[in-house]
């Protein structure tokens, strides 16, 4: 168990040692930690059902009822009526995320944050001079628990894909090692929709080809995969064999987060356009939540049938609280931009001007200053 990346050196280059750390039910666990009365109870952190909210994270008690993230909150309550619903407290989660990130950097600066509660670490060479990635992963789990009283699951392997598969195998608080030579046996039984990078639509297409598991997927040759899925087919060919050369990429936080949609036909339909702006707003709000970002500037982009493009922005004193409010602001901006007057080809909603770490840590201001 001590030397996960035990592949022979040389050949395609020395084997890497990659760790994937994934916090267990992050938002819900934080709330249960801070509010003892919630421990042992099904907790949902997410948007309210009245505002078409979705589950962002839920506790393991809620998962036992079939509740999962990205599920509409309304559906979650149908499955688990006694669930406690909490609005996400991003500032708090972000502060804890920063503590955890600090722990990673005690071992390596090759850290790639995937979201507020998930990251890849390349510890092939590390600040501790520790040869065993497994030992590092265990130490990180221990330190996270000491500093935050929260559990993390860890996966250790020779690349990002396998490390992520590994961290998911024994949640919560698991530590799983996949050696390169074991990769295929781990992947054989795995349903294709659980492969990182295979979305629901692709899984459905694979199912139509009678491909359900990693074992099935491995029976398809390169050219078949390329014919059906183009360039990403090659990626599938490789990952199902446990091969993934993607580097762990450190990167700065984004300056903005946005989504846009191109209509299948230019439209002036008020109802259709409103639904589109609202849907985009919810999607953007979910991306922000996943990354722990709070932004104060909303920008709407409209492209008209004649390809003329306008943008309208508004900056608020406080960050946009949720997808519902974002949708309202975006609709006002879109109206000012002339959304209902001329045929629309494309709509975009973007949030920027994020709170800095210093602003996130600033104590809450009292309403009146004397
Ligand atoms: Mg997680």
């Amino acid at each position: 168990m001590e030397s996960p990346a035990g592949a022979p050196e040389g050949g395609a280059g020395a084997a890497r040692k990659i760790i994937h750390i994934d916090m267990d039910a992050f938002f819900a666990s934080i709330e249960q930690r801070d509010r003892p009365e919630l421990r042992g109870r099904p907790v949902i952190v997410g948007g309210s059902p009245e505002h078409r909210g979705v589950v962002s994270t839920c506790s393991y008690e809620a998962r036992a009822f079939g509740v999962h993230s990205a599920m509409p909150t309304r559906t979650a309550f149908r499955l688990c009526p006694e669930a406690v619903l909490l609005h996400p407290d991003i500032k708090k989660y972000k502060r804890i995320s920063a503590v955890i990130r600090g722990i990673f950097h005690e071992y390596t600066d090759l850290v790639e944050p995937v979201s507020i509660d998930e990251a890849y670490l390349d510890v092939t060479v590390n600040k501790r001079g520790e040869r065993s990635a497994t030992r590092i992963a265990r130490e990180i789990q221990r330190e996270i628990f000491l500093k935050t009283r929260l559990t993390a699951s860890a996966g250790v392997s020779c690349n990002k894909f396998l490390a992520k598969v590994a961290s998911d195998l024994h949640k919560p608080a698991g530590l799983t090692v996949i050696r390169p030579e074991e990769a295929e046996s781990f992947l054989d039984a795995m349903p294709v929709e659980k492969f990182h990078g295979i979305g629901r639509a692709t899984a459905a297409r694979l199912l139509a080809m009678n491909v359900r598991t990693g074992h099935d997927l491995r029976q398809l040759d390169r050219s078949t995969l390329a014919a059906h899925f183009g360039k990403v087919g090659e990626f599938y060919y490789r990952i199902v064999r446990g091969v993934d050369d993607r580097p762990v990429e450190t990167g700065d936080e984004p300056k903005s987060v946005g989504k846009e949609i191109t209509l299948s036909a230019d439209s002036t339909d008020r109802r259709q356009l409103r639904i589109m702006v609202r849907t985009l707003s919810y999607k953007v709000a979910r991306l922000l939540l996943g990354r722990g970002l709070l932004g104060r500037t909303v920008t709407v982009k409209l492209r008209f049938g004649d390809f003329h493009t306008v943008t309208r922005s508004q900056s608020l004193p406080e960050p946009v609280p949720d997808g519902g409010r974002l949708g309202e602001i975006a609709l006002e901006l879109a109206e000012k931009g002339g959304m209902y007057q001329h045929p629309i080809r494309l709509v975009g909603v973007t949030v920027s001007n994020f709170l800095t770490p210093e602003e996130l840590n600033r104590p809450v201001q009292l309403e009146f200053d004397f």
Side-chain angles (χ1 to χ4, degrees), residues 20-27 57 60 63 115 117-118 171:
H20 180 251
I21 299 279
D22 185 11
M23 299 301 295
D24 301 320
F26 191 49
F27 300 169
T57 320
Y60 286 91
R63 289 178 199 196
S115 66
D117 79 323
E118 215 184 299
K171 278 185 144 294

Side-chain angles (χ1 to χ4, degrees), residues 163-229:
K164 181 157 172 92
V165 168
S167 73
D168 205 36
L169 283 175
H170 297 106
K171 278 185 144 294
L175 168 59
T176 309
V177 179
I178 299 182
R179 293 163 200 272
E181 64 272 19
E182 300 169 327
E184 293 195 359
S185 63
F186 271 100
L187 301 176
D188 267 348
M190 203 161 95
V192 285
E193 65 270 18
K194 290 203 81 183
F195 275 71
H196 184 58
I198 296 189
R200 211 177 294 171
T202 305
R205 287 175 63 190
L206 285 168
L207 190 64
M209 298 162 71
N210 243 328
V211 172
R212 291 161 206 275
T213 64
H215 179 268
D216 299 341
L217 183 57
R218 202 174 307 118
Q219 310 313 310
L220 302 182
D221 60 28
R222 267 203 163 99
S223 53
T224 307
L225 281 167
H228 281 87
F229 302 104

Side-chain angles (χ1 to χ4, degrees), residues 45 95 138 368:
V45 180
R95 281 197 297 271
R138 196 179 293 132
F368 301 104

Side-chain angles (χ1 to χ4, degrees), residues 47-92:
S48 67
E50 299 84 60
H51 295 99
R52 293 191 290 158
V54 294
V55 176
S56 176
T57 320
C58 57
S59 69
Y60 286 91
E61 294 84 358
R63 289 178 199 196
F65 289 84
V67 178
H68 58 76
S69 48
M71 172 184 273
T73 310
R74 197 174 305 208
T75 313
F77 271 115
R78 210 155 49 224
L79 293 168
C80 181
E82 68 265 47
V84 180
L85 176 67
L86 299 171
H87 194 77
D89 182 350
I90 311 254
K91 285 190 186 182
K92 177 161 77 172

